[in-house]
Amino acid sequence: MNPKSRRFKAVDLAYILIMVLPVVFGIVFKILTKPASSGIVIEGAYIYLTIPLPFQDLLITESQINSAIVMVSMLGVCLYLTHGMRYGCICKRHHIAEWIVEKINAMVKGNMGSYFSGFSPFVVAILALSGLSSLITLFGLYPPTSDVNIVGGWAILVFILITYYKCKCGPIQYIKSFAEPIALMPLNLISEVATPISMAFRHYGNILSGSVISVLVAAGLQGLSAMIFGALPGFLGEFPFLQIGLPAILSLYFDLFSGCLQAYIFAMLTMLYVSSGFPIEIYEKRKQKKLSIQKRANA
């Protein structure tokens, strides 16, 4: 397909709309459904709907809506970056996609080893989902990473993967790993349970604290501006002069730097916990033993 053809450009436009329209929908949906607030308001995700269920009610919250928005936008980015690859027409975006793939593959191989090379899509999904979920606050939307339920779900998924690879050498080896050494068995059990809790609260706490600090500083600057310039005539006395600049600088740190940093840390912890919990030497010996037994049985 020719990149200059109308059909190619139309598909490109459709993918760009898939990236942009979910965010626009989120902004409009928030304006239309969430009640306006005045003053300093620090609260959790807004609950849009409660669905009654036998054991526990299902809550449809702002975090879930914004998570869906981020995932649809991510789909649009992936489709746009890879559009036209299979037709052999190489564009600048394809070089970006190849660069991302190469960097993620190198990072996974360097931290997890060649055995876990297939983890690259999972790791880049964690990086993108976590990073974009934090950056969505730049559009005035509630970041899903500020909700412990969202980040806790990611941590539970990672914990399942950790346990799966620890059990690849058999349940007996998994149980024996807690008694190495036997004196530290209670601490090993506590560490096993604490892994998903620490991952969730580290990510959630850093993102939430940044939002709280930004709100408090902006509100404090507004009050200080009114105290200093309140005597000025007309609208000049009500204009928050001191709020110009500093909140934006804080947003650059807490929303951009800190959000991306926490996404990277969460992905790194995922790779390290999964790879370090997998006894690959024991697994290879067990695999070789099974192969030798099969060869003897076939002979």
Side-chain angles (χ1 to χ4, degrees):
M1 184 184 294
N2 188 356
K4 296 183 180 180
S5 66
R6 291 184 178 180
R7 182 183 174 187
F8 190 92
K9 292 180 180 179
V11 176
D12 268 357
L13 179 60
Y15 292 155
I16 293 173
L17 290 176
I18 293 175
M19 287 188 275
V20 176
L21 286 182
V23 179
V24 176
F25 166 79
I27 296 172
V28 174
F29 187 73
K30 177 181 178 179
I31 294 173
L32 295 178
T33 57
K34 191 173 181 180
S37 57
S38 58
I40 301 176
V41 178
I42 300 174
E43 57 186 5
Y46 183 74
I47 300 175
Y48 289 113
L49 180 65
T50 302
I51 302 175
L53 294 175
F55 298 102
Q56 185 177 358
D57 294 342
L58 176 62
L59 304 179
I60 306 299
T61 68
E62 198 173 6
S63 299
Q64 295 168 324
I65 299 295
N66 292 348
S67 292
I69 288 172
V70 170
M71 287 188 285
V72 174
S73 296
M74 284 173 54
L75 174 63
V77 172
C78 294
L79 293 174
Y80 179 76
L81 289 178
T82 58
H83 180 216
M85 267 190 176
R86 62 178 178 175
Y87 299 109
C89 52
I90 303 301
C91 306
K92 291 182 179 179
R93 76 187 78 167
H94 299 155
H95 295 297
I96 297 175
E98 291 175 0
W99 179 82
I100 294 173
V101 171
E102 290 176 358
K103 292 298 180 182
I104 294 297
N105 286 338
M107 185 172 68
V108 171
K109 187 176 181 180
N111 290 283
M112 303 184 75
S114 57
Y115 181 85
F116 292 95
S117 58
F119 256 69
S120 296
F122 181 74
V123 172
V124 74
I126 289 178
L127 274 170
L129 182 59
S130 177
L132 294 178
S133 294
S134 299
L135 295 178
I136 200 173
T137 187
L138 296 174
F139 300 98
L141 299 176
Y142 183 84
T145 44
S146 290
D147 191 336
V148 70
N149 298 292
I150 299 295
V151 185
W154 302 348
I156 291 173
L157 177 60
V158 172
F159 180 69
I160 293 173
L161 287 173
I162 295 170
T163 306
Y164 168 76
Y165 279 98
K166 283 185 176 181
C167 292
K168 281 183 76 71
C169 292
I172 296 177
Q173 176 62 34
Y174 175 65
I175 296 172
K176 284 174 60 178
S177 65
F178 293 108
E180 296 176 354
I182 188 66
L184 296 180
M185 185 174 181
L187 293 178
N188 291 335
L189 291 172
I190 294 173
S191 175
E192 188 76 4
V193 178
T195 296
I197 298 175
S198 64
M199 290 184 68
F201 277 90
R202 179 187 292 108
H203 198 336
Y204 149 78
N206 280 282
I207 301 300
L208 180 62
S209 62
S211 302
V212 172
I213 291 172
S214 297
V215 171
L216 292 177
V217 170
L221 290 175
Q222 183 180 10
L224 185 61
S225 180
M227 183 185 302
I228 297 175
F229 303 104
L232 294 177
F235 76 94
L236 294 176
E238 300 177 358
F239 190 82
F241 289 98
L242 297 181
Q243 280 189 324
I244 301 175
L246 185 56
I249 296 174
L250 289 176
S251 178
L252 286 175
Y253 174 77
F254 289 118
D255 296 335
L256 290 176
F257 177 74
S258 181
C260 295
L261 178 63
Q262 293 305 317
Y264 177 76
I265 291 174
F266 194 91
M268 286 295 295
L269 290 175
T270 298
M271 291 187 288
L272 294 177
Y273 281 141
V274 172
S275 59
S276 62
F278 177 52
I280 190 167
E281 295 84 4
I282 299 175
Y283 176 76
E284 291 295 339
K285 289 180 181 179
R286 189 183 183 196
K287 189 176 179 180
Q288 291 296 329
K289 187 177 180 180
K290 284 184 177 180
L291 289 175
S292 62
I293 293 174
Q294 289 179 355
K295 287 181 180 179
R296 292 174 185 176
N298 294 331

